[in-house]
Amino acid sequence: MMDGTLWQRAEVVRMSGDTVWVKPCLATGCAQCQLSSTCGQGVLARWAGRQRAEIALVRNESVDHLLFDQLMPGDMVELGVSGSHFVQASALQFVLPLLSMVFFAMLAEYCGAADSLVALLAFVGLAVALWMISWWRRPVLKSPYIHRVFPRAH
């Protein structure tokens, strides 16, 4: 990770037109690691269990079309995402909802609202932040890109 890029292996599960659907591989070494009970990766892997989210990779100008065209279901790919884009995504998904809830609650408190209304407006702030995230997600955040393909064994 010297260049600031984060890498993750994923399995191609299906293809549909100009979209490839991949499932990230879970950390395989977590069961043997002594830190698995406290490490974020190990805790997240256990929490997710066998449920892995699928990621859609769309063919566009930034995709290496030769890599994209050779993919088949069952292939393993190495995905890369810029560290700065990862930080942006983290801030967008974790910091924005918290700040929005606090802002709406403080605004209600400043206006002299009752405690129940302050709590209700904090949840309204959360809903607004979640809406903003879904609206901003596409233009602001870059998708992972396919760096390398590991064809499945025949």
Side-chain angles (χ1 to χ4, degrees):
M1 195 176 80
M2 292 215 167
D3 62 355
T5 301
L6 303 172
W7 305 102
Q8 173 69 45
R9 286 209 177 176
E11 178 184 0
V12 176
V13 291
R14 70 180 192 272
M15 301 179 71
S16 173
D18 283 347
T19 304
V20 172
W21 294 87
V22 298
K23 278 190 177 184
C25 297
L26 297 175
T28 56
C30 288
Q32 292 82 21
C33 180
Q34 294 176 355
L35 300 175
S36 66
S37 62
T38 57
C39 167
Q41 179 90 7
V43 171
L44 188 59
R46 276 194 315 282
W47 178 75
R50 304 300 282 170
Q51 301 295 326
R52 296 178 290 161
E54 291 183 355
I55 299 171
L57 301 174
V58 180
R59 179 195 304 256
N60 58 29
E61 297 80 35
S62 66
V63 172
D64 182 339
H65 294 284
L66 294 175
L67 288 178
F68 201 90
D69 291 336
Q70 68 181 348
L71 293 175
M72 299 288 293
D75 288 347
M76 296 296 289
V77 295
E78 188 172 61
L79 303 176
V81 66
S82 161
S84 64
H85 289 128
F86 181 76
V87 171
Q88 285 177 354
S90 297
L92 189 65
Q93 292 191 345
F94 297 110
V95 176
L96 183 63
L98 179 62
L99 291 178
S100 181
M101 286 180 70
V102 170
F103 174 76
F104 274 70
M106 288 177 63
L107 184 63
E109 185 72 32
Y110 178 77
C111 293
D115 289 345
S116 58
L117 187 57
V118 171
L120 177 65
L121 286 177
F123 283 109
V124 168
L126 175 63
V128 167
L130 294 176
W131 174 79
M132 288 170 62
I133 289 168
S134 68
W135 184 65
W136 278 339
R137 181 177 49 213
R138 297 249 184 248
V140 171
L141 301 177
K142 306 267 189 234
S143 294
Y145 61 90
I146 298 171
H147 173 68
R148 191 172 9 190
V149 176
F150 304 95
R152 69 179 185 270
H154 296 285

